[in-house]
Amino acid sequence: MIKQLRSWWKDTEIANLIGRKKVDFSIFRDGTHIPVEFHPDFLEANQGQQPNLGEGIKVKLIHEDRDYEATLFKIDQASASREALQLRYNGNQTLKELLIEAFKHSYSYIMQERTNQLADDAKRPQVVVPEDQAEYIDFFATGVPFEYRLEFITYKPKPNVWWVNQGTTIQAEKQAGILWAPLLNTQGRKLYHWETMKEVKEGDIILHYSNKAIRYVSQVTAAAVEAPKPGSMANTGWQEEGRLVRTHYVELIPSIALQQFNQQIMQLNITQGPLHTGGGVNQGYLFRFSRQGLQVLQSLTTEVNWPDFTILEQDEVASSMESLREVIPILPPSDSSISAFLHQIQSHIRRQGFFFPEHLIENFYLSLKAKPFVILAGISGTGKTRLVKLFAEALGATRDNGQYTLIPVRPDWSDPADLLGYKDLSGRFQPGPMTQVFVEARQPENRHKPYFICLDEMNLARVEHYFSDLLSVLETQEWRESEIQTQELISRALLGTPEDQVKYGGLGIPENVFLIGTVNMDETTHPFSKKVLDRASTLEFNYINLQQYPQGAEQDAGDPADLKELNHLFLRSDYLQLVDAYDTHQELVVRTTERLVQINTLLEDIHAHVGFRVRDAICFYMIYNERFGLMDEEEAFDWQLLQKILPRIQGSHSSVRRVLLNLMKVATGSGAGIAVNVQELMDDDASPLYMKWAAGQNPPGVKHPQSARKLAYMLRRLEEDGFTSYWLS
């Protein structure tokens, strides 16, 4: 049985234990007060004897075969209407010095806190040592009355874990067995990630990150001292004065790539840690890590030769693994498993009797992952709405459980009230259908579930009118405590009652909600502005093969029910700004951006060029595609050219024709079998271009066949009607 009262504790299963006392200030000054609940324990140890009221009896305290004298007093606490026992040794300086030396961690902590408090002793609150740093005295009975054996439980500091970013200096620092950082930057300012150097202590563990991987781990052999810049760093632009830590490097074989662990470590929310909310590495030198983070890292890399000094004690491992079990259920699936999951989704769709073109499911997934707003365009009857329903259904989101909602758009919608809600004549807020989904999705028990909203025929009304608030709020996405949050959607002026404030106040677009609109382009609908197109990916369903027939269920497709265990992180964006992904995918970002720069040069002629928002969205799409290994890079860029660039082009001028022809040259590629001489075609018939696709098949050797086909039909429309648009071809 466990008995605990204030700073005293006892486990009756421990033989001869009278009680365990937590070390506090009184221990170092004069003694300790014994709570009345522990009087019977001392009475038993003293074989039924006790001091008379108002008197004391000499006691012997034994520690490591040495005796120390103290007195056990019994006093009358009239204010509390009870008697009290006190163990006093205020006159025994030798015992006090022993306790100060044995419990130097508690003594140092208490004295420092007292120094920081008010000078008036009477006003000082009692200093309490944190539980994770507490020290204790165990009092054991010896069989002799008023003689107690003491055992000390002292604080053994656990090594802290740090993360250091090292670039070109890593080999020089490794060879010297050091870390070094300046005191000040060139503007004379202190930087957090340099100031952390002075907190490093002997025995701490350091993870060394360089060139997109953790390559070494080290154990600190000497804490930081101020030291001039080492000669091996003479060529750096840092100031001369800095701090130096000595540490012993051990190479990790194999090294650990960032993508092996960044998503899992992000879930730990390490304060001032090395990873930003996009999963990339913060710029800087030395960052805090954590012992739990180290344990998670080791659990993910069992093939790595982790040295002994990094292995946690068994009791700590158990505690860490318990925490790890709490983290893992909300982790996204591994990058390598995404392709298999998408194959299961496609198999589920085929079993329902529907067939979509090759890589359409992958494209739909990547588009949602890059931005949670996708538009499906095309002629009526091509399965746009059905795709959304079946995709959601494969992930366990159905109309019955409220995770899939179909909202038919009406032609008379002219403001956001039809979607979001309004205040009625009684002053109560009446939520719209989208608001109801948002409220449900943000409930704590639902935050891990994906929710899908399908706006059917969303351009029957002008999208910019009724959807403007959502488009604007969607652009306010930001990371807060590892979650994507937006500004609130519902104006406080609409929330007239306290109940409304509680239910709808602060409501933004939850990170687990995904918006998909279906559109037809005909005389009954409205075109999209660039504001809408910039904020969405447009998937087109115009090219139909009527000779595709239902197929039998695939034997190796797997059970789609397994997909229902996926949480919303399967679809949620990992990046909001390009800086979130740049350091881990720099080469791909630069390569993609250079392509866009070339295309933008062509688009500027008709004022259709793109900005940073579109650049970022395309880069995110390309990064996800590379991470998950879904498509060839050229095929993925073809989808983006088709979905993010071409919808911006429309007009009747010769400049539009020139842009289309130049883009055709980009789409076909220099090695294509189609020769495009733009100058020759400026005044000639461009029909040879689109006739290449008349048979419904892509000519061989075309670099971006889908975009080239679309460009060919846009050129035909321009020549036949004198006007062209992405939507009319």
Side-chain angles (χ1 to χ4, degrees):
M1 185 183 72
I2 302 294
K3 177 168 64 174
Q4 186 169 6
L5 190 79
R6 295 187 292 277
S7 61
W8 282 81
W9 173 95
K10 180 178 181 180
D11 183 350
T12 57
E13 298 297 320
I14 301 177
N16 300 320
L17 179 66
I18 305 171
R20 173 174 294 173
K21 163 65 180 170
K22 181 180 179 181
V23 173
D24 54 22
F25 181 62
S26 67
I27 288 293
F28 303 115
R29 184 173 59 181
D30 46 30
T32 181
H33 178 87
I34 301 171
V36 65
E37 288 81 3
F38 281 82
H39 290 187
D41 301 283
F42 276 88
L43 186 64
E44 180 182 355
N46 297 329
Q47 297 182 0
Q49 302 178 48
Q50 59 180 322
N52 295 323
L53 188 63
E55 298 179 356
I57 295 178
K58 296 292 182 184
V59 299
K60 182 190 296 184
L61 305 177
I62 306 169
H63 177 67
E64 294 183 348
D65 299 325
R66 184 171 178 181
D67 300 344
Y68 299 88
E69 188 177 278
T71 304
L72 187 66
F73 279 94
K74 186 176 185 180
I75 61 174
D76 184 8
Q77 277 191 314
S79 60
S81 302
R82 63 185 180 190
E83 300 172 350
L85 281 178
Q86 292 182 345
L87 183 66
R88 299 180 183 174
Y89 45 79
N90 52 315
N92 191 335
Q93 190 62 31
T94 303
L95 178 56
K96 288 184 181 180
E97 291 175 357
L98 168 69
L99 296 174
I100 290 173
E101 176 61 26
F103 301 115
K104 53 188 175 185
H105 178 77
S106 293
Y107 183 77
S108 175
Y109 181 92
I110 292 169
M111 298 309 292
Q112 182 62 49
E113 289 297 307
R114 287 176 62 83
T115 301
N116 295 338
Q117 292 172 355
L118 299 173
D120 185 356
D121 196 47
K123 295 182 180 180
R124 284 177 174 156
Q126 182 181 4
V127 176
V128 178
V129 179
E131 287 301 321
D132 62 345
Q133 302 179 45
E135 299 178 303
Y136 302 90
I137 302 175
D138 280 354
F139 292 83
F140 286 92
T142 62
V144 178
F146 303 105
E147 180 178 297
Y148 317 129
R149 179 172 56 84
L150 308 183
E151 289 189 5
F152 298 162
I153 301 175
T154 58
Y155 173 68
K156 295 181 176 61
K158 297 174 181 177
N160 292 323
V161 184
W162 303 89
W163 170 298
V164 64
N165 291 327
Q166 293 166 292
T168 57
T169 63
I170 187 169
Q171 291 305 320
E173 290 182 282
K174 172 185 172 292
Q175 188 172 359
I178 62 169
L179 299 182
W180 185 88
L183 297 178
L184 305 171
N185 66 5
T186 53
Q187 287 77 42
R189 294 173 53 193
K190 296 179 180 179
L191 299 181
Y192 156 72
H193 53 83
W194 290 345
E195 285 293 290
T196 47
M197 288 281 287
K198 63 185 180 183
E199 300 178 32
V200 177
K201 65 181 184 299
E202 183 179 348
D204 280 359
I205 299 168
I206 299 175
L207 300 168
H208 299 260
Y209 180 84
S210 179
N211 192 23
K212 302 181 182 178
I214 299 176
R215 303 187 180 278
Y216 300 93
V217 65
S218 69
Q219 186 173 36
V220 175
T221 57
V225 296
E226 293 195 8
K229 181 164 60 177
S232 57
M233 300 182 187
N235 294 330
T236 63
W238 295 320
Q239 293 195 358
E240 293 297 321
E241 296 303 316
R243 294 187 183 93
L244 182 143
V245 168
R246 296 203 174 275
T247 187
H248 176 66
Y249 285 68
V250 175
E251 184 177 6
L252 294 177
I253 302 176
S255 58
I256 308 168
L258 179 63
Q259 292 178 6
Q260 290 180 246
F261 62 86
N262 60 343
Q263 297 297 320
Q264 290 85 341
I265 295 299
M266 282 170 56
Q267 301 298 321
L268 300 180
N269 295 321
I270 299 174
T271 303
Q272 297 179 316
L275 302 183
H276 56 63
T277 49
V281 177
N282 287 317
Q283 292 187 355
Y285 189 62
L286 187 69
F287 293 91
R288 304 180 193 282
F289 206 62
S290 72
R291 295 174 65 81
Q292 184 187 13
L294 176 61
Q295 179 62 29
V296 171
L297 191 60
Q298 290 171 337
S299 70
L300 296 170
T301 56
T302 54
E303 75 283 5
V304 173
N305 62 325
W306 290 98
D308 291 344
F309 65 80
T310 67
I311 306 304
L312 300 177
E313 298 174 1
Q314 286 303 310
D315 58 341
E316 191 173 356
V317 170
S319 173
S320 183
M321 291 307 293
E322 186 65 30
S323 299
L324 182 59
R325 280 190 287 273
E326 296 175 2
V327 171
I328 284 181
I330 62 169
L331 292 178
S334 65
D335 290 357
S336 60
S337 65
I338 297 296
S339 179
F341 288 139
L342 294 177
H343 178 71
Q344 285 184 277
I345 292 173
Q346 193 159 28
S347 297
H348 169 73
I349 292 173
R350 288 181 178 179
R351 280 194 291 271
Q352 307 308 309
F354 289 84
F355 181 88
F356 293 102
E358 184 181 12
H359 290 319
L360 178 65
I361 299 301
E362 289 88 343
N363 179 38
F364 182 53
Y365 170 75
L366 291 172
S367 299
L368 278 175
K369 187 79 171 172
K371 197 83 169 183
F373 177 35
V374 170
I375 295 172
L376 305 181
I379 63 175
S380 180
T382 52
K384 300 183 295 295
T385 305
R386 182 67 66 170
L387 170 63
V388 183
K389 180 179 182 295
L390 293 176
F391 187 93
E393 183 181 276
L395 298 176
T398 66
R399 184 176 298 178
D400 291 341
N401 63 23
Q403 290 177 240
Y404 170 75
T405 301
L406 178 70
I407 303 177
V409 174
R410 293 174 53 88
D412 60 347
W413 284 6
S414 59
D415 61 57
D418 297 292
L419 271 183
L420 299 181
Y422 60 92
K423 183 192 288 188
D424 64 18
L425 295 178
S426 68
R428 294 296 303 271
F429 178 71
Q430 298 298 326
M434 188 168 284
T435 297
Q436 292 174 332
V437 176
F438 289 172
V439 169
E440 186 71 15
R442 78 166 177 175
Q443 298 303 313
E445 65 272 18
N446 295 331
R447 287 183 176 178
H448 67 287
K449 302 175 184 176
Y451 281 73
F452 296 86
I453 296 177
C454 180
L455 292 164
D456 197 31
E457 298 195 62
M458 71 178 301
N459 63 333
L460 281 177
R462 287 197 174 275
V463 177
E464 295 81 1
H465 292 174
Y466 73 87
F467 209 63
S468 58
D469 285 10
L470 284 114
L471 289 175
S472 298
V473 170
L474 194 62
E475 291 305 299
T476 68
Q477 287 184 318
E478 62 180 0
W479 293 105
R480 297 181 202 160
E481 299 179 355
S482 296
E483 290 185 359
I484 298 176
Q485 298 185 27
T486 70
Q487 293 181 8
E488 58 188 32
L489 269 169
I490 312 299
S491 168
R492 295 185 181 275
L494 294 176
L495 306 178
T497 68
E499 293 82 4
D500 290 343
Q501 293 284 351
V502 171
K503 190 170 185 178
Y504 307 107
L507 180 66
I509 303 176
E511 67 171 17
N512 57 332
V513 175
F514 305 92
L515 309 172
I516 303 99
T518 67
V519 302
N520 298 322
M521 283 297 178
D522 54 36
E523 65 279 358
T524 68
T525 62
H526 299 277
F528 291 114
S529 69
K530 289 186 175 65
K531 176 180 179 179
V532 177
L533 296 176
D534 278 1
R535 290 161 171 80
S537 287
T538 304
L539 280 65
E540 193 179 37
F541 284 64
N542 273 341
Y543 306 112
I544 305 302
N545 179 6
L546 295 179
Q547 291 181 309
Q548 290 174 339
Y549 303 106
Q551 299 180 2
E554 300 176 31
Q555 298 300 315
D556 59 347
D559 184 0
D562 297 339
L563 297 171
K564 297 178 183 179
E565 300 302 319
L566 287 174
N567 56 52
H568 76 290
L569 298 182
F570 174 64
L571 285 163
R572 189 199 73 175
S573 300
D574 298 331
Y575 318 114
L576 296 181
Q577 304 293 334
L578 194 59
V579 67
D580 296 342
Y582 184 70
D583 56 351
T584 52
H585 300 88
Q586 182 175 344
E587 293 180 4
L588 179 59
V589 168
V590 170
R591 194 162 58 244
T592 302
T593 302
E594 287 175 349
R595 293 187 184 204
L596 294 176
V597 169
Q598 177 190 3
I599 291 170
N600 241 12
T601 302
L602 305 178
L603 297 176
E604 285 174 353
D605 196 31
I606 57 172
H607 305 289
H609 48 296
V610 302
F612 295 117
R613 182 186 293 115
V614 173
R615 178 205 64 177
D616 291 0
I618 292 176
C619 285
F620 295 158
Y621 182 103
M622 299 298 291
I623 289 169
Y624 293 133
N625 176 67
E626 183 180 76
R627 276 178 51 186
F628 307 147
L630 299 181
M631 292 181 279
D632 174 81
E633 183 176 325
E634 295 300 339
E635 184 177 2
F637 191 78
D638 188 12
W639 283 109
Q640 288 300 278
L641 185 59
L642 178 68
Q643 295 169 185
K644 299 294 290 183
I645 303 298
L646 300 190
R648 307 171 65 85
I649 301 173
Q650 65 177 19
S652 58
H653 299 292
S654 60
S655 57
V656 173
R657 187 171 188 271
R658 182 169 56 250
V659 169
L660 291 175
L661 289 169
N662 277 305
L663 286 174
M664 177 66 85
K665 187 174 182 179
V666 172
T668 55
S670 58
I674 301 175
V676 181
N677 188 316
V678 176
Q679 192 59 43
E680 290 180 3
L681 290 174
M682 282 302 301
D683 300 317
D684 296 335
D685 181 13
S687 60
L689 288 176
Y690 54 77
M691 288 302 294
K692 298 282 186 178
W693 281 269
Q697 296 181 348
N698 294 327
V702 176
K703 190 174 185 180
H704 299 136
Q706 296 186 93
S707 299
R709 177 174 60 180
K710 186 68 177 179
L711 285 163
Y713 279 86
M714 291 176 72
L715 279 164
R716 182 183 68 175
R717 178 68 67 181
L718 182 62
E719 292 186 348
E720 292 180 353
D721 300 340
F723 180 86
T724 193
S725 166
Y726 178 89
W727 311 102
L728 300 177
S729 57

